[in-house]
Amino acid sequence: MTNPSPPFRLIALDLDGTLLRSDLSVSPRTRKAIALARDHGIEAVFVTVRHAAAIEYIVEALGLTGEAICCGGAGLWRIPSMELVEEHVVEAATAREAARRIKDALPDARIGWMRPDRTVGYAPDYPEPLLIGSSYRQDPGEIDTPVLKLFAVSPRLREIGTSTVEALFDGMVDVSHHHSGVVDLVAPGVSKIVALEKLCASRGISPHEVIAFGDARTDLEMIRWAGQGVFMANADPALHAEADLVAPSNDDDGVAVVLERLLAEHTPTPREVTR
């Protein structure tokens, strides 16, 4: 008897709070589960707000090939070569104006931005520690190249809603991610789900052939869209009702737990193999 077809063809994976443990490591159990999925012919695709330089160690740990969606959908990278194959940028003048509006509304905000060349820019007052990757300091009012995304960090961002943040920009940029005192801003129309839908369409993969894992509101659209949408136990409990399944937390290897179970259901027993 041949192996039953696996229940899906692509795994869409958020990283922080989902695939990664709280110490930002990839556990041995998770490595094994992703490898098992690959043995079944299933592709694992990162769908993350991280920039490309910040996924390289995870790509290496899992031995992945293919493509990765980064910067909240603003960039598509071929992995492991880390070649940028598609970009959706915020033009320099728009980035400068968006940064000005953030500072006007939130004077304590610390601003950074990510360029297509994988370098990260930081305002002079942005505190250590910095993110993974090559970086430089510059006044945001002097940004002179297109950026994949801007981000701002401020305690006040914990106190105001996403709609209030969006109102600052009059549609010049979209809020990709707003959580725990951080906001990420991308070009209008850019999002995780738009990038994921486009990638799947290019492979002839339908939504019901996708299982998606996430832990935050920025993942909600792809959780709803996928044939099987999974929120982690550590996600906001209000999001759990939106998922087909709630996995154990990221620190309990929830992604691995779900994949192991689903793949076991589609792997024949030794008796079945010998019939």
Side-chain angles (χ1 to χ4, degrees):
M1 178 181 288
T2 58
N3 286 13
S5 298
F8 39 84
R9 294 174 56 193
L10 185 141
I11 309 165
L13 292 162
D14 174 59
L15 295 178
D16 295 279
T18 301
L19 184 76
L20 303 179
R21 288 185 167 180
S22 295
D23 64 1
L24 306 184
S25 68
V26 183
S27 75
R29 185 176 182 180
T30 295
R31 296 183 193 195
K32 185 176 179 180
I34 296 295
L36 179 63
R38 293 176 64 200
D39 289 345
H40 279 74
I42 302 165
E43 182 179 8
V45 174
F46 296 160
V47 187
T48 179
V49 296
R50 283 188 175 219
H51 65 298
I55 71 166
E56 287 186 275
Y57 79 95
I58 313 168
V59 169
E60 182 178 358
L62 296 174
L64 294 184
T65 60
E67 291 169 317
I69 295 166
C70 298
C71 294
L76 181 69
W77 270 267
R78 186 166 291 121
I79 57 173
S81 66
M82 305 312 298
E83 173 191 359
L84 179 62
V85 295
E86 186 173 329
E87 63 181 66
H88 304 277
V89 297
V90 177
E91 296 298 335
T94 303
R96 292 194 298 269
E97 176 62 14
R100 184 191 68 77
R101 294 189 185 197
I102 295 171
K103 289 295 283 188
D104 284 352
L106 303 170
D108 69 336
R110 305 295 186 257
I111 297 173
W113 56 94
M114 295 173 179
R115 302 195 312 196
D117 65 3
R118 299 196 296 154
T119 58
V120 187
Y122 298 95
D125 61 351
Y126 197 99
E128 301 281 351
L130 303 181
L131 302 179
I132 297 171
S134 300
S135 64
Y136 65 100
R137 297 277 185 174
Q138 185 180 32
D139 186 320
E142 298 175 359
I143 294 173
D144 55 1
T145 60
V147 303
L148 290 169
K149 75 169 188 175
L150 294 113
F151 56 97
V153 181
S154 166
R156 287 195 60 203
L157 284 166
R158 299 176 185 269
E159 304 166 3
I160 59 177
T162 301
S163 60
T164 301
V165 178
E166 290 172 337
L168 297 175
F169 305 108
D170 298 322
M172 69 170 59
V173 290
D174 281 357
V175 175
S176 171
H177 177 72
H178 177 209
H179 182 66
S180 297
V182 180
V183 66
D184 293 291
L185 306 171
V186 294
V190 169
S191 69
K192 285 185 172 185
I193 185 58
V194 169
L196 180 60
E197 285 181 313
K198 185 174 182 179
L199 182 145
C200 288
S202 73
R203 288 160 166 69
I205 297 174
S206 63
H208 79 267
E209 295 174 301
V210 177
I211 181 169
F213 293 85
D215 78 307
R217 188 159 295 277
T218 189
D219 303 312
L220 180 56
E221 288 184 305
M222 76 172 185
I223 296 301
R224 288 172 170 167
W225 174 84
Q228 185 148 40
V230 184
F231 268 124
M232 311 304 289
N234 49 284
D236 183 341
L239 295 173
H240 289 170
E242 302 284 350
D244 298 301
L245 182 67
V246 176
S249 75
N250 60 320
D251 286 324
D252 291 324
D253 299 331
V255 170
V257 171
V258 172
L259 293 180
E260 289 165 356
R261 179 174 62 78
L262 291 176
L263 292 172
E265 293 172 355
H266 290 76
T267 301
T269 65
R271 174 176 290 184
E272 289 175 326
V273 170
T274 57
R275 285 179 185 171

mmCIF file of all heavy atoms in Angstrom, residues 116-137:
data_model
loop_
_atom_site.group_PDB
_atom_site.id
_atom_site.type_symbol
_atom_site.label_atom_id
_atom_site.label_comp_id
_atom_site.label_asym_id
_atom_site.label_seq_id
_atom_site.Cartn_x
_atom_site.Cartn_y
_atom_site.Cartn_z
ATOM 1 N N PRO A 116 15.765 47.083 1.266
ATOM 2 C CA PRO A 116 15.824 45.850 0.479
ATOM 3 C C PRO A 116 17.187 45.167 0.491
ATOM 4 O O PRO A 116 17.267 43.951 0.238
ATOM 5 C CB PRO A 116 15.466 46.324 -0.939
ATOM 6 C CG PRO A 116 14.596 47.527 -0.714
ATOM 7 C CD PRO A 116 15.204 48.211 0.488
ATOM 8 N N ASP A 117 18.266 45.908 0.778
ATOM 9 C CA ASP A 117 19.589 45.286 0.823
ATOM 10 C C ASP A 117 19.864 44.583 2.152
ATOM 11 O O ASP A 117 20.977 44.162 2.422
ATOM 12 C CB ASP A 117 20.691 46.310 0.542
ATOM 13 C CG ASP A 117 20.785 47.403 1.614
ATOM 14 O OD1 ASP A 117 20.029 47.339 2.615
ATOM 15 O OD2 ASP A 117 21.620 48.311 1.461
ATOM 16 N N ARG A 118 18.828 44.452 2.991
ATOM 17 C CA ARG A 118 18.874 43.726 4.265
ATOM 18 C C ARG A 118 19.557 44.502 5.381
ATOM 19 O O ARG A 118 19.780 43.960 6.463
ATOM 20 C CB ARG A 118 19.523 42.337 4.115
ATOM 21 C CG ARG A 118 18.774 41.425 3.166
ATOM 22 C CD ARG A 118 19.186 39.979 3.341
ATOM 23 N NE ARG A 118 20.575 39.770 3.013
ATOM 24 C CZ ARG A 118 21.309 38.791 3.513
ATOM 25 N NH1 ARG A 118 20.805 37.955 4.389
ATOM 26 N NH2 ARG A 118 22.572 38.645 3.154
ATOM 27 N N THR A 119 19.906 45.750 5.166
ATOM 28 C CA THR A 119 20.436 46.557 6.257
ATOM 29 C C THR A 119 19.287 47.226 7.007
ATOM 30 O O THR A 119 18.218 47.475 6.456
ATOM 31 C CB THR A 119 21.411 47.639 5.756
ATOM 32 O OG1 THR A 119 20.735 48.467 4.814
ATOM 33 C CG2 THR A 119 22.627 47.006 5.102
ATOM 34 N N VAL A 120 19.534 47.499 8.273
ATOM 35 C CA VAL A 120 18.519 48.099 9.140
ATOM 36 C C VAL A 120 18.999 49.488 9.553
ATOM 37 O O VAL A 120 20.103 49.649 10.064
ATOM 38 C CB VAL A 120 18.274 47.240 10.392
ATOM 39 C CG1 VAL A 120 17.103 47.797 11.191
ATOM 40 C CG2 VAL A 120 18.020 45.786 10.012
ATOM 41 N N GLY A 121 18.156 50.487 9.320
ATOM 42 C CA GLY A 121 18.474 51.838 9.748
ATOM 43 C C GLY A 121 17.822 52.149 11.083
ATOM 44 O O GLY A 121 16.719 51.670 11.368
ATOM 45 N N TYR A 122 18.509 52.926 11.892
ATOM 46 C CA TYR A 122 17.989 53.307 13.206
ATOM 47 C C TYR A 122 18.179 54.797 13.421
ATOM 48 O O TYR A 122 19.234 55.355 13.076
ATOM 49 C CB TYR A 122 18.738 52.579 14.324
ATOM 50 C CG TYR A 122 18.611 51.084 14.302
ATOM 51 C CD1 TYR A 122 19.582 50.299 13.689
ATOM 52 C CD2 TYR A 122 17.531 50.442 14.915
ATOM 53 C CE1 TYR A 122 19.480 48.907 13.675
ATOM 54 C CE2 TYR A 122 17.422 49.056 14.906
ATOM 55 C CZ TYR A 122 18.402 48.296 14.285
ATOM 56 O OH TYR A 122 18.299 46.932 14.269
ATOM 57 N N ALA A 123 17.171 55.428 14.005
ATOM 58 C CA ALA A 123 17.330 56.817 14.427
ATOM 59 C C ALA A 123 18.441 56.897 15.466
ATOM 60 O O ALA A 123 18.715 55.919 16.179
ATOM 61 C CB ALA A 123 16.021 57.331 15.014
ATOM 62 N N PRO A 124 19.114 58.045 15.573
ATOM 63 C CA PRO A 124 20.228 58.165 16.535
ATOM 64 C C PRO A 124 19.837 57.832 17.971
ATOM 65 O O PRO A 124 20.676 57.370 18.747
ATOM 66 C CB PRO A 124 20.645 59.624 16.391
ATOM 67 C CG PRO A 124 20.281 59.976 14.988
ATOM 68 C CD PRO A 124 18.995 59.246 14.717
ATOM 69 N N ASP A 125 18.558 58.046 18.341
ATOM 70 C CA ASP A 125 18.143 57.791 19.728
ATOM 71 C C ASP A 125 17.603 56.384 19.942
ATOM 72 O O ASP A 125 17.104 56.070 21.022
ATOM 73 C CB ASP A 125 17.100 58.818 20.165
ATOM 74 C CG ASP A 125 15.821 58.770 19.327
ATOM 75 O OD1 ASP A 125 15.801 58.068 18.295
ATOM 76 O OD2 ASP A 125 14.840 59.456 19.696
ATOM 77 N N TYR A 126 17.690 55.522 18.926
ATOM 78 C CA TYR A 126 17.176 54.154 19.092
ATOM 79 C C TYR A 126 18.103 53.396 20.048
ATOM 80 O O TYR A 126 19.310 53.337 19.841
ATOM 81 C CB TYR A 126 17.105 53.436 17.746
ATOM 82 C CG TYR A 126 16.217 52.206 17.769
ATOM 83 C CD1 TYR A 126 14.919 52.268 17.295
ATOM 84 C CD2 TYR A 126 16.666 50.989 18.277
ATOM 85 C CE1 TYR A 126 14.084 51.152 17.309
ATOM 86 C CE2 TYR A 126 15.842 49.875 18.311
ATOM 87 C CZ TYR A 126 14.551 49.969 17.823
ATOM 88 O OH TYR A 126 13.729 48.867 17.854
ATOM 89 N N PRO A 127 17.557 52.788 21.099
ATOM 90 C CA PRO A 127 18.411 52.180 22.123
ATOM 91 C C PRO A 127 18.921 50.800 21.730
ATOM 92 O O PRO A 127 18.337 50.108 20.884
ATOM 93 C CB PRO A 127 17.468 52.072 23.330
ATOM 94 C CG PRO A 127 16.115 51.875 22.712
ATOM 95 C CD PRO A 127 16.108 52.699 21.456
ATOM 96 N N GLU A 128 19.994 50.396 22.342
ATOM 97 C CA GLU A 128 20.465 49.015 22.247
ATOM 98 C C GLU A 128 19.515 48.132 23.065
ATOM 99 O O GLU A 128 18.865 48.615 23.989
ATOM 100 C CB GLU A 128 21.890 48.905 22.818
ATOM 101 C CG GLU A 128 22.922 49.786 22.130
ATOM 102 C CD GLU A 128 23.421 49.216 20.817
ATOM 103 O OE1 GLU A 128 23.082 48.046 20.512
ATOM 104 O OE2 GLU A 128 24.131 49.936 20.100
ATOM 105 N N PRO A 129 19.423 46.814 22.755
ATOM 106 C CA PRO A 129 20.124 46.112 21.681
ATOM 107 C C PRO A 129 19.427 46.318 20.345
ATOM 108 O O PRO A 129 18.213 46.533 20.289
ATOM 109 C CB PRO A 129 20.038 44.651 22.126
ATOM 110 C CG PRO A 129 18.742 44.564 22.879
ATOM 111 C CD PRO A 129 18.609 45.882 23.592
ATOM 112 N N LEU A 130 20.201 46.226 19.273
ATOM 113 C CA LEU A 130 19.666 46.347 17.929
ATOM 114 C C LEU A 130 19.269 44.971 17.408
ATOM 115 O O LEU A 130 19.614 43.937 17.988
ATOM 116 C CB LEU A 130 20.719 46.978 17.009
ATOM 117 C CG LEU A 130 21.246 48.355 17.446
ATOM 118 C CD1 LEU A 130 22.252 48.861 16.430
ATOM 119 C CD2 LEU A 130 20.123 49.357 17.661
ATOM 120 N N LEU A 131 18.535 44.959 16.319
ATOM 121 C CA LEU A 131 18.113 43.707 15.716
ATOM 122 C C LEU A 131 19.281 43.027 15.013
ATOM 123 O O LEU A 131 20.331 43.635 14.769
ATOM 124 C CB LEU A 131 16.982 43.960 14.717
ATOM 125 C CG LEU A 131 15.730 44.649 15.274
ATOM 126 C CD1 LEU A 131 14.704 44.850 14.161
ATOM 127 C CD2 LEU A 131 15.130 43.841 16.414
ATOM 128 N N ILE A 132 19.093 41.769 14.659
ATOM 129 C CA ILE A 132 20.106 41.021 13.926
ATOM 130 C C ILE A 132 20.355 41.696 12.576
ATOM 131 O O ILE A 132 19.432 42.158 11.918
ATOM 132 C CB ILE A 132 19.642 39.568 13.698
ATOM 133 C CG1 ILE A 132 19.475 38.844 15.026
ATOM 134 C CG2 ILE A 132 20.601 38.810 12.789
ATOM 135 C CD1 ILE A 132 18.809 37.486 14.904
ATOM 136 N N GLY A 133 21.627 41.739 12.152
ATOM 137 C CA GLY A 133 21.949 42.214 10.811
ATOM 138 C C GLY A 133 22.755 43.493 10.790
ATOM 139 O O GLY A 133 22.908 44.177 11.803
ATOM 140 N N SER A 134 23.257 43.818 9.598
ATOM 141 C CA SER A 134 24.025 45.046 9.402
ATOM 142 C C SER A 134 23.132 46.249 9.637
ATOM 143 O O SER A 134 21.955 46.247 9.269
ATOM 144 C CB SER A 134 24.593 45.089 7.983
ATOM 145 O OG SER A 134 25.444 43.995 7.744
ATOM 146 N N SER A 135 23.708 47.306 10.217
ATOM 147 C CA SER A 135 22.884 48.458 10.565
ATOM 148 C C SER A 135 23.661 49.753 10.405
ATOM 149 O O SER A 135 24.882 49.758 10.247
ATOM 150 C CB SER A 135 22.383 48.327 12.005
ATOM 151 O OG SER A 135 23.462 48.349 12.922
ATOM 152 N N TYR A 136 22.926 50.848 10.447
ATOM 153 C CA TYR A 136 23.524 52.173 10.398
ATOM 154 C C TYR A 136 22.590 53.135 11.125
ATOM 155 O O TYR A 136 21.420 52.826 11.371
ATOM 156 C CB TYR A 136 23.750 52.625 8.952
ATOM 157 C CG TYR A 136 22.475 52.816 8.158
ATOM 158 C CD1 TYR A 136 21.927 54.077 7.959
ATOM 159 C CD2 TYR A 136 21.824 51.716 7.592
ATOM 160 C CE1 TYR A 136 20.769 54.251 7.228
ATOM 161 C CE2 TYR A 136 20.659 51.882 6.858
ATOM 162 C CZ TYR A 136 20.136 53.148 6.679
ATOM 163 O OH TYR A 136 18.983 53.313 5.960
ATOM 164 N N ARG A 137 23.105 54.302 11.474
ATOM 165 C CA ARG A 137 22.325 55.336 12.156
ATOM 166 C C ARG A 137 22.067 56.491 11.183
ATOM 167 O O ARG A 137 22.949 56.892 10.425
ATOM 168 C CB ARG A 137 23.077 55.865 13.375
ATOM 169 C CG ARG A 137 23.332 54.824 14.462
ATOM 170 C CD ARG A 137 22.143 54.659 15.371
ATOM 171 N NE ARG A 137 22.422 53.747 16.484
ATOM 172 C CZ ARG A 137 21.584 53.522 17.484
ATOM 173 N NH1 ARG A 137 20.409 54.145 17.520
ATOM 174 N NH2 ARG A 137 21.888 52.680 18.448
#
